[in-house]
Each structure stands twice: as C-alpha cells, then as structure tokens.
Amino acid sequence: MKEFRVIKDRPAGFFPEFDKRPATLRHNMHYCPGCGHGILHKIVAEAISDFGIKDRTTFISPVGCAVFGYYYMDCFGISTPHGRAPAVATGLARAHKDSVVISYQGDGDLAAIGFNEFIHSVNRGENICYIFVNNAIYGMTGGQLAPTTLPGQKTTTTPRGRDPVEDGLPFHIAEIVATQANPVYVERVALGAPKEVMKARLAIRKAIQNTMARKGISFVEVLSPCPVGLKKDAAGITDFIQNQMTKIFPLGKFKDVSAQREPVEHPVPIYDCEKVEEILFPKDAESEANKVRADFRNRSEIFDKERRIKVAGSGGQGVLSLAYIIAHMGRLRNFNITYLPTYGPEMRGGTADCSVVASRKEIASPVVDRDANMLIALNQPSLDKYLPQLKPTGIIIYDTSSMSLPPIGKAQVAYGVPAATTATEKLGSPRYGNALILGAFAKMMDDLFLTAEDATDFDAVVEAAIRECFAEKPKIIPPNLEGFRLGKELAKRA
C-alpha cells in the first residue's frame, strides 16, 4: 500500500466527524460539487479555530442550501425560519455580551424575505458578522429568480431571461449597507480564481475580528458559484462569476472604519423577574395597599377553572380599557392573565375586540375564538358576531341602550344595563358606559357565583383596578367609579 501524509487537514473549527449528518454520510458535506458553501465553511471554520472563539461563536443558518450548517461547525449553531436570522442574531448579540454571532445567509433569504429585518439590524448597528452568499439564484428550491439574478439571466421563473422592465434590477446589498452610518466594515469578494478566494478569506477573517471586538455590523458579500442551479461546468461557473457577475456587482471594499470605531456597548439586559415586574408595574403606596398575599385564593368555585372572556364593540366605546381593567383585576388577585386586543384601522368607529384569559394554571393560548365563558358586547354587531363562540353555559353582558338580545341557549344567561344612556345622562359622557358594563359584570357575579366574602372582595378589586389603570388620568377615576356603582344598581337579568 502506498504511503501518504496529510499536508493540511480539515480546520479544527469543523467537527472531526459530521455525526449530525443522517445515515452513513459522516465525512463529507452535503453540498453539490463545485458549490461555494464548502469553501466558505472552511474559511469560517479556520477563523473560529485560529482565533480560539469556538465557545463564544454561534453560527446561524436560516432556510437555504446552508440550512444544515450546524452539521459541520464545531461551535454553537442555530437554524432559523426563512429570513429571520437577523432577529435571532440580535437577541443573541444583545443577551450575551462576549458572543461572536455569525449570520450566514443566501440572497433569497437576506435580500428577499428577510431584508426588512436585516436592514433594521444594520440601522441599529447590532454586533453581528453577516456573510451574504450571492449566487444570483434560488439554489435550494429549484433555481428561481432571486433578488440578485442578473439582467437577461435565465431561471425557472424567468425562462426568457430577467427583464429589468418586468422583473426589476438586481439588488446591490453591499452598496445599500455601506450608505448606513452604523456598519463598520463592508466588502464584496468572490469565489472565482484562487487569488479571489484568498481575498475572501481575509475579508471574512476581518469581519469576524470586528465582531470579536464588538465594533458593530460587519458585512461581507460573497459572489459564490452554484454550478447545478446555473447549469454550468467548473470553467463556465468561474467565467460567469469573473466576467458577468462582477460587472453588475463590482468587487471591493465599500466601507472600513474599524480602526476608528469604539466597541459597541448596549445596556445590560435585565433577567431578574422581580426587577422586570417592578419596571412594568411601578410600586406606590396605593398599589401596594391593593395587593394580597402571594398565596391568596378566592374561595368561590368559579375561580377554580380557566375563564375565557371576549370583550367586543366599536372603536371609542372603551372596549380595550374595559378588558384591561378586567385583566388587571386578575393580576391583583394572583391569577395568570393574558390580554390580547385586536382592532380595525380606524381610531374611532372601527371594530375592536379583546380576549382575556384568567387561570390559576399556565395558559395554553391567549386567543378566545371559541368556548368563551363570557361575552361582553358593547354594540349589536359584536353581539351577533361573537355569540356563536360562547359556550352553551356562557354568560352575556350587553348594553340595553341600543341593543336587543337575540335568542340564546337554554343554559346561557344574559345581563343587561342601559350603559350608554345612563352614562350620558348621569355622568355627562357615553364614554363611561364601559364602567356601567363593569358594574353589570359584578352584579352577575354576585347573583350567580360569589360567596359573600368574595362579593365584597370583587367590588374592592374592581375599584383598585380602576384606580391603577387610570392613575395617569386622575380626573376620570371618580366618574368611572360612579359608573361602576350605577351599573351594579341598574343591571338586570334578561
């Protein structure tokens, strides 16, 4: 057997064997012959090894040919949904100060579906190293038109060639990035001739070093071969890169201020639950007085199960504030609470609804689109629309001022109150009608579900929630409290 010696082994930044690969393919990459990803992976793996940053590095590969990048890199690896790498990269870079985050994205991923997230991360100046693989085509999904496809280039979706009039012109991502203030380093390189590969190696190593030094965004665009997708042999793909792609995408350095740039310092994230709660819910004497012990539980059986409430009406009726008060009531009594509002585009007059879920246990979903325990409707369209989502044993609270109750189930119960009319006559504005609805809610709870002790507590927590929710608008607290009392007096079972 002929002896041989290894002159240069695979970089230490690669796994010794690719054990994450399926079946018996443990030694080779999955990329097509002639693909540029193998070269780029080797360059990155060399840098990770040479710089000694394996335990600091996260290699992010979203949907695309390099989606299985974590097969090969001996560092942390994350696959993300299509185009969402910048969001994940931002979270990692912010949460771990000393991390080296490499976002490795193709032209379909970064320049198309993910461009919005990408360009905003550039604008913020996140400490991310972007490696942008530009092979002028969607290589993974069949060779369709990409944002970087050249004019006249044929793809499966442009069989006659890319027409600039119909299909637009190629995106020049490196030039766009270089115009922004925060990027520290922007360069375009190519994987054509060997000398160009060496330039690409230097550019990627510099970008990674900038990220290690926390200097902000570094961006390297790489013109990369895709022989299978472009249907070219080795000579043909090299000619395509050197003599066609570079005419549209000129090589070179577009920006380099790394020598002058100081390390980026973001505020230290807060992970302590108590501190987060203190920021979200500032403590004052009144709010502290409204609290109960951490082990407090209401005795009434209705609170033993998850309660799902839908609040709906038109914009301007106080739908969202009413739902927020109800959610706040639950928080003050140690319930887990979700609050999910939705509303139309109009500030006033459009539709609005909100889902509130209260439970002593974990809440699986904040959406209430069926099996609601209670429907609070402030106008007729909302009552008609959401009544089918109410459980057969559900409760309805509605405004009798302008609404009529449609036929309901035998086990369903409805309480009505002339909310808008009374609010206008007694309190001077129909906007306090939601407070009367809250009073009808309390009346229904007293009649049907609450022990005497819990009935007293329910009134107390309503008032506490109103005071806290409107703490920044103290003038409207008294009429809201009065509206609640009026609603409780006037509410009747239908």
Side-chain angles (χ1 to χ4, degrees):
M1 182 176 179
K2 187 176 181 179
E3 294 185 2
F4 66 91
R5 63 190 179 93
V6 177
I7 297 175
K8 189 171 179 60
D9 202 354
R10 71 174 52 168
F14 282 138
F15 288 115
E17 289 191 5
F18 305 140
D19 291 332
K20 296 178 182 179
R21 287 213 65 189
T24 59
L25 305 175
R26 307 294 189 191
H27 299 282
N28 298 324
M29 290 185 169
H30 72 283
Y31 301 115
C32 303
C35 173
H37 286 304
I39 301 172
L40 286 174
H41 281 19
K42 181 178 180 180
I43 291 172
V44 174
E46 281 182 342
I48 290 172
S49 174
D50 292 348
F51 299 152
I53 56 173
K54 180 180 79 170
D55 294 335
R56 296 171 54 193
T57 300
T58 302
F59 186 83
I60 300 176
S61 47
V63 173
C65 290
V67 68
F68 297 118
Y70 57 83
Y71 280 173
Y72 313 116
M73 298 295 175
D74 190 7
C75 62
F76 299 107
I78 295 179
S79 264
T80 70
H82 203 1
R84 302 302 177 254
V88 175
T90 296
L92 287 166
R94 293 283 187 102
H96 301 283
K97 181 177 179 180
D98 294 326
S99 62
V100 179
V101 180
I102 300 172
S103 186
Y104 186 96
Q105 297 179 254
D107 43 11
D109 186 83
L110 182 147
I113 193 171
F115 183 76
N116 186 51
E117 288 193 7
F118 162 72
I119 201 64
H120 283 287
S121 72
V122 169
N123 183 48
R124 294 191 303 270
E126 305 293 345
N127 191 51
I128 300 169
C129 171
Y130 280 105
I131 299 175
F132 173 55
V133 184
N134 175 0
N135 52 25
I137 201 165
Y138 274 87
M140 183 184 187
T141 54
Q144 300 92 339
L145 173 79
T148 52
T149 297
L150 307 187
Q153 181 183 333
K154 294 181 179 181
T155 71
T156 58
T157 50
T158 55
R160 296 184 179 86
R162 179 172 190 162
D163 182 349
V165 175
E166 294 293 325
D167 308 313
L169 290 166
F171 248 22
H172 290 72
I173 303 297
E175 288 87 340
I176 293 172
V177 175
T179 63
Q180 304 304 303
N182 275 323
V184 64
Y185 173 63
V186 181
E187 186 166 358
R188 182 182 289 125
V189 295
L191 301 180
K195 65 177 182 179
E196 298 297 344
V197 174
M198 295 308 298
K199 290 180 180 179
R201 181 177 181 270
L202 293 174
I204 288 172
R205 290 171 75 91
K206 182 177 180 64
I208 292 174
Q209 287 176 312
N210 285 339
T211 308
M212 292 167 57
R214 298 196 61 77
K215 293 196 173 184
I217 290 284
S218 286
F219 179 87
V220 180
E221 179 176 344
V222 184
L223 307 186
S224 178
C226 181
V228 173
L230 296 171
K231 298 178 175 58
K232 297 180 184 296
D233 58 16
I237 197 67
T238 300
D239 177 76
F240 178 74
I241 292 174
Q242 292 183 330
N243 297 318
Q244 295 186 54
M245 288 192 75
T246 56
K247 290 181 179 179
I248 303 298
F249 302 110
L251 305 182
K253 194 177 296 182
F254 295 89
K255 185 175 185 179
D256 185 3
V257 293
S258 45
Q260 298 82 38
R261 183 65 59 85
E262 295 296 324
V264 176
E265 294 294 339
H266 290 289
V268 178
I270 298 173
Y271 299 107
D272 185 275
C273 293
E274 292 183 1
K275 289 183 179 179
V276 172
E277 183 179 2
E278 187 175 339
I279 292 170
L280 293 175
F281 306 104
K283 295 180 180 180
D284 55 43
E286 186 171 7
S287 64
E288 288 300 299
N290 292 330
K291 280 191 172 182
V292 293
R293 301 184 314 273
D295 60 351
F296 175 85
R297 295 291 184 272
N298 298 94
R299 295 180 181 273
S300 303
E301 291 184 4
I302 189 173
F303 299 123
D304 293 341
K305 296 181 179 180
E306 180 177 277
R307 297 299 156 185
R308 298 159 54 81
I309 303 170
K310 173 74 80 173
V311 185
S314 63
Q317 287 188 297
V319 172
L320 303 187
S321 59
L322 173 58
Y324 188 70
I325 291 170
I326 295 170
H328 210 67
M329 289 164 56
R331 187 187 70 82
L332 290 172
R333 290 302 180 264
N334 298 327
F335 285 90
N336 293 321
I337 293 289
T338 61
Y339 167 87
L340 183 64
T342 60
Y343 43 87
E346 303 90 347
M347 287 288 289
R348 292 289 182 266
T351 58
D353 68 83
C354 188
S355 299
V356 177
V357 182
S359 178
R360 297 294 187 191
K361 300 178 181 179
E362 290 187 358
I363 297 171
S365 171
V367 179
V368 179
D369 57 4
R370 58 185 175 84
D371 295 331
N373 298 106
M374 184 164 65
L375 169 61
I376 299 176
L378 276 65
N379 66 2
Q380 192 72 45
S382 297
L383 179 59
D384 297 337
K385 178 179 180 179
Y386 294 112
L387 187 58
Q389 297 180 7
L390 192 65
K391 294 182 73 171
T393 56
I395 307 294
I396 303 162
I397 308 290
Y398 70 107
D399 185 356
T400 59
S401 298
S402 59
M403 300 167 60
S404 58
L405 186 66
I408 62 174
K410 293 181 179 179
Q412 292 177 332
V413 175
Y415 273 71
V417 64
T421 301
T422 305
T424 302
E425 294 175 353
K426 301 289 186 181
L427 303 173
S429 173
R431 67 176 181 167
Y432 298 116
N434 60 352
L436 277 91
I437 292 289
L438 196 57
F441 181 12
K443 171 65 173 173
M444 177 274 298
M445 292 291 287
D446 283 2
D447 289 351
L448 303 180
F449 299 112
L450 300 182
T451 65
E453 182 180 356
D454 280 347
T456 301
D457 181 71
F458 196 90
D459 287 358
V461 77
V462 169
E463 294 201 15
I466 288 174
R467 292 184 185 279
E468 289 196 15
C469 290
F470 297 126
E472 296 183 358
K473 300 177 181 179
K475 290 183 179 180
I476 69 172
I477 292 175
N480 272 284
L481 293 175
E482 180 62 22
F484 166 67
R485 298 186 187 103
L486 284 170
K488 193 169 182 181
E489 290 175 8
L490 298 173
K492 294 180 180 179
R493 182 169 177 171

